[in-house]
Amino acid sequence: MGEFAELTFRGRTIRLPVVEGTEGDTGLDISVLRKELGAITLDPGYANTGSCRSAITYIDGEQGILRYRGYDIAELAEHTSFLEVALLLLRGELPTRDELDAFTASVKEYMVVHEDLRHFFNAFPKDAHPMAVAGAVIGSLSTFYPESMDPKNIDESKESCRRLLAKLPTIIAWSYKHSLGRPMTYPHHSLGYVENFLHMLFSTPFREYVVDPVVARALELIFVLHADHEQNCSASTVRVVGSSQANMFASISAGVWALWGPLHGGANQALIEMLEHVRNAGLTPQQFVDQVKTRTASIRLMGFGHRVYKNYDPRAKVLKKAAFEVLDKLGVHSELLDIAVKLEEAALKDEYFIQRKLYPNVDFYSGIILQAIGIPLTMFTAIFAIGRMPGWLAQFNEMHRDPDTRIARPRQVYVGQARRDFVPIAQRG
Ligand code: CMC
């Protein structure tokens, strides 16, 4: 037996094997705990619980490090395209030029959705949130592709991965078109993945949207930076649902809905709403920070804080620089960016934020870029979903190839009523 930890409980001592990660992460394997000691662990929000071994993404929250398959996020952000990163996450290695070209071509082919699916959009209310539509339509893909739904079958999984990666931009763009009452725009073979999304979002039959390379690159950067983030809420949701052997479409649609919440992917939309509130209420950044600290209105500084990062989120670092560059190139001045920078300054020197190690996260500057490149506010979280798709897919596949995978089924400590006698309805009152 290698290294172990000893745990003594009610006079019995057991040995818990130590599991070491490649970068020094340490886990205690407690899988025998209940059998040996008759007790379970209690860990709200799973803040101390490792749910799996994973070789996809590494985060050192203390140092502010994020790597996909060993590659630093800042380097990937500078040098790679989104589909290149998608292949890296899915296969474990960066693709060659030929591999990337072949993958890009096949993903483009799949961007068209089944024509019958187009009619689904008409059934949603015009003001339906794109995340609600995306979750529903992704789930419905399982009705179209029953032949590629066995999560244990590698070829079927590859097929479903390509479909999900390719079709989500179309689904999201069409949900936007539906909200405007405008005709759906089809993907075009001559355009790349990101350009196609922008084309479907903004082109109409009477006016072709000409994609500005600055806008396309900014969006691609956002996709790359969001592509995976290990066992976050939505990725864990995908794994939990998939652990029942539910198909990939069902599992990913659950992930989309988990992402929607304002504490997770919904924070980018909530951030802009917060900055607009600060501006419209005429608050100084310090006044707003003071309001957050008093907690009377239970408001949080959106785009700040993270379960894992206790340092500057490396994605926020890249995005802060990119926000200034993109706005400069587009000749846009953003009052909200000025407010965000001042809020950041005020928070970072405030004892409340220092003590709790709260720093800007990925959402603090992404929203400002999205706004500057013309993405409607209600689409922000959906943009996050497009970016996160490769991560969800890689996590789903890794789980299904892991021999340790069991159905996810946590325990609880029951704190309700002890056993009591049933009272017939006539005697209650
Ligand atoms: N503003 C004010 N106080 C905060 C904030 C914030 N943004 N974040 C955490 N705190 C406080 C919190 O009140 C608590 O204080 P105390 O110990 O006195 O009770 C302490 O910091 C620890 O917070 P927590 O809620 O226990 O931390 P958590 O790990 O459970 O939550 C979080 C992480 C991201 C949900 C939280 O920091 C938050 O709500 N942030 C704002 C929403 C946001 O920006 N979400 C995007 C996350 S990054 C993208 C993604 O992964 O989706």
Side-chain angles (χ1 to χ4, degrees):
M1 197 180 192
E3 195 187 357
F4 57 84
E6 270 186 354
L7 178 64
T8 303
F9 178 64
R10 292 181 182 160
R12 273 206 69 195
T13 298
I14 58 165
R15 289 177 164 192
L16 303 174
V18 173
V19 181
E20 289 284 0
T22 35
E23 295 281 358
D25 286 347
T26 308
L28 302 181
D29 180 347
I30 57 149
S31 45
V32 297
L33 194 66
R34 188 171 172 278
K35 195 167 135 223
E36 297 291 330
L37 296 184
I40 58 167
T41 56
L42 190 60
D43 186 19
Y46 309 121
N48 302 279
T49 298
S51 60
C52 59
R53 289 176 169 87
S54 181
I56 302 171
T57 288
Y58 172 69
I59 302 176
D60 181 334
E62 308 300 325
Q63 305 285 328
I65 293 172
L66 168 62
R67 299 186 197 128
Y68 300 159
R69 301 284 190 187
Y71 295 105
D72 191 76
I73 192 66
E75 277 189 275
L76 293 171
E78 194 176 342
H79 301 294
T80 58
S81 67
F82 178 58
L83 291 185
E84 201 174 345
V85 162
L87 268 183
L88 171 68
L89 290 169
L90 286 165
R91 298 184 333 173
E93 296 299 335
L94 285 166
T96 63
R97 166 60 57 200
D98 286 350
E99 287 166 344
L100 179 60
D101 288 348
F103 184 66
T104 305
S106 74
V107 167
K108 274 206 265 180
E109 289 293 330
Y110 276 86
M111 284 185 107
V112 178
V113 297
H114 196 292
E115 195 59 14
D116 290 346
L117 203 123
R118 200 162 63 86
H119 304 300
F120 282 34
F121 289 84
N122 296 333
F124 291 109
K126 286 273 181 289
D127 57 357
H129 196 282
M131 290 298 277
V133 177
V137 175
I138 289 173
S140 78
L141 290 177
S142 48
T143 64
F144 287 86
Y145 306 108
E147 76 288 356
S148 68
M149 295 208 304
D150 177 1
K152 297 278 174 210
N153 182 307
I154 290 180
D155 289 335
E156 290 188 24
S157 296
K158 276 189 186 161
E159 192 75 356
S160 295
C161 279
R162 240 193 306 260
R163 284 190 170 124
L164 281 160
L165 201 53
K167 294 184 197 307
L168 186 58
T170 314
I171 292 167
I172 302 273
W174 285 11
S175 76
Y176 178 58
K177 284 298 173 69
H178 172 67
S179 74
L180 299 177
R182 295 233 169 111
M184 315 298 186
T185 305
Y186 289 88
H188 198 283
H189 195 260
S190 67
L191 297 171
Y193 183 87
V194 179
E195 290 80 359
N196 246 321
F197 173 60
L198 288 163
H199 160 71
M200 289 188 281
L201 205 55
F202 296 127
S203 284
T204 65
F206 50 90
R207 189 173 297 121
E208 186 76 13
Y209 171 84
V210 180
V211 180
D212 180 337
V214 173
V215 170
R217 183 58 204 151
L219 194 52
E220 180 133 47
L221 177 71
I222 287 178
F223 288 159
V224 166
L225 292 174
H226 285 82
D228 191 47
H229 214 232
E230 49 116 309
Q231 308 313 316
N232 57 84
C233 176
S234 56
S236 298
T237 301
V238 169
R239 281 185 179 254
V240 168
V241 175
S243 74
S244 74
Q245 305 205 354
N247 68 68
M248 202 186 274
F249 303 112
S251 306
I252 298 289
S253 74
V256 166
W257 279 319
L259 183 71
W260 189 7
L263 296 190
H264 192 8
N268 55 12
Q269 178 175 339
L271 176 103
I272 294 292
E273 287 160 356
M274 176 189 83
L275 295 177
E276 285 174 347
H277 164 73
V278 172
R279 181 192 59 196
N280 298 344
L283 295 169
T284 65
Q286 191 56 52
Q287 281 170 330
F288 186 71
V289 163
D290 289 342
Q291 282 185 7
V292 169
K293 281 160 50 184
T294 60
R295 299 184 184 198
T296 36
S298 63
I299 39 171
R300 289 196 160 193
L301 184 56
M302 299 314 286
F304 249 73
H306 200 276
R307 170 63 59 79
V308 183
Y309 294 117
K310 302 303 164 203
N311 201 330
Y312 214 101
D313 181 335
R315 302 167 299 173
K317 217 177 263 177
V318 175
L319 284 169
K320 183 178 183 181
K321 186 163 165 270
F324 283 102
E325 285 169 6
V326 170
L327 266 69
D328 187 46
K329 281 187 192 156
L330 296 175
V332 175
H333 173 253
S334 163
E335 211 186 329
L336 297 189
L337 177 58
D338 296 343
I339 295 173
V341 170
K342 288 189 186 123
L343 270 176
E344 182 194 330
E345 277 168 16
L348 289 183
K349 58 176 195 251
D350 193 291
E351 210 35 49
Y352 174 95
F353 292 86
I354 294 170
Q355 256 180 20
R356 290 168 181 76
K357 298 189 178 174
L358 302 170
Y359 291 86
N361 61 48
V362 68
D363 292 312
F364 202 69
Y365 288 103
S366 65
I368 288 162
I369 300 180
L370 291 174
Q371 197 178 46
I373 65 176
I375 304 289
L377 187 58
T378 53
M379 304 296 292
F380 281 18
T381 311
I383 299 285
F384 191 152
I386 297 176
R388 185 52 55 86
M389 182 62 85
W392 289 332
L393 298 172
Q395 299 284 346
F396 181 92
N397 284 340
E398 181 177 67
M399 179 192 66
H400 280 292
R401 315 290 165 252
D402 181 349
D404 287 342
T405 296
R406 300 171 73 189
I407 187 168
R409 203 305 185 185
R411 295 266 179 176
Q412 63 170 12
V413 175
Y414 176 71
V415 294
Q417 294 280 356
R419 196 211 172 288
R420 49 187 172 159
D421 291 334
F422 176 75
V423 182
I425 195 161
Q427 293 167 22
R428 291 175 221 157

